[in-house]
Amino acid sequence: MGGGEVTRGPRERMVYSAAQLIRTQGVSGTGMREVVEHASAPRGSLQHYFPGGKDQLVREALAWSGDFAARRVERYAEAAPSPAGLFAGMVAQWRDQFREEGFAAGCPLVAATADVVAGNENLRQAVCAGFETWLRPVADSLREMGVPEARCRSLAMVMISALEGAIVMARAQEDVAPLDAVVAELGPVLDAARG
């Protein structure tokens, strides 16, 4: 979940930095001072931009994560306009990242879920909204590829669930084999769903 060419202001850098730190350390392990340092932001900017404190910053980082994943879906769908191709693109991004950067960082939405959602309703809702933001374009892409309307949302859930599970297993095993397995096994099922 890399950055981009666009120059970000301090607020955007802190949201991005929070998402990146949550990927490796979880919500509990990510400190506000660390976010400021990672973002190269002025010290007083936290209170200025995030008067709701850490919860507000984390909610915005999770929203950013859902938006980031959603924006990439269109690119994957255009590159390989089939359900299996879309899923393979979604998985390839993680395979490439793990091979280039190692297995330290996962999905901020999963990290937040494992870390704090049981005890923080606001963050649970933020995680849920992040997944929903990602789910919608996957379901829309499947519809455009000829999957019947009645199956689009549930197949999108299966795709994201399989990908997230494979990411967790790949990180634990320090091996991309789980990613390769979900593409090989789920791809034909997805393509067979087209009407």
Side-chain angles (χ1 to χ4, degrees), residues 45-193:
S45 55
L46 272 173
Q47 291 77 20
H48 176 72
Y49 292 117
F50 304 99
K54 184 174 180 177
D55 266 16
Q56 180 186 356
L57 176 58
V58 170
R59 285 193 315 269
E60 292 190 31
L62 296 173
W64 178 90
S65 300
D67 288 340
F68 178 86
R71 286 190 308 268
R72 296 182 72 99
V73 169
E74 185 176 321
R75 185 177 345 158
Y76 302 141
E78 288 175 3
S82 70
L86 170 60
F87 186 62
M90 291 167 63
V91 173
Q93 181 255 319
W94 284 97
R95 184 186 308 107
D96 295 345
Q97 178 183 308
F98 287 150
R99 286 187 173 147
E100 292 168 14
E101 301 172 18
F103 295 86
C107 175
L109 298 171
V110 170
T113 300
D115 192 13
V116 296
V117 298
N120 188 320
E121 180 60 18
N122 288 332
L123 293 185
R124 187 200 64 75
Q125 290 177 8
V127 169
C128 188
F131 275 122
E132 185 62 33
T133 298
W134 184 13
L135 186 67
R136 266 186 251 116
V138 175
D140 291 345
S141 294
L142 292 173
R143 188 177 306 103
E144 291 169 11
M145 294 171 185
V147 174
E149 174 75 30
R151 297 197 62 202
C152 291
R153 184 170 171 84
S154 63
L155 283 176
M157 283 185 202
V158 168
M159 291 166 69
I160 292 172
S161 298
L163 172 58
E164 290 291 12
I167 290 167
V168 169
M169 290 183 71
R171 290 181 70 200
Q173 297 172 5
E174 293 190 336
D175 188 347
V176 296
L179 297 170
D180 295 335
V182 293
V183 169
E185 297 297 333
L186 194 53
V189 172
L190 294 170
D191 279 347

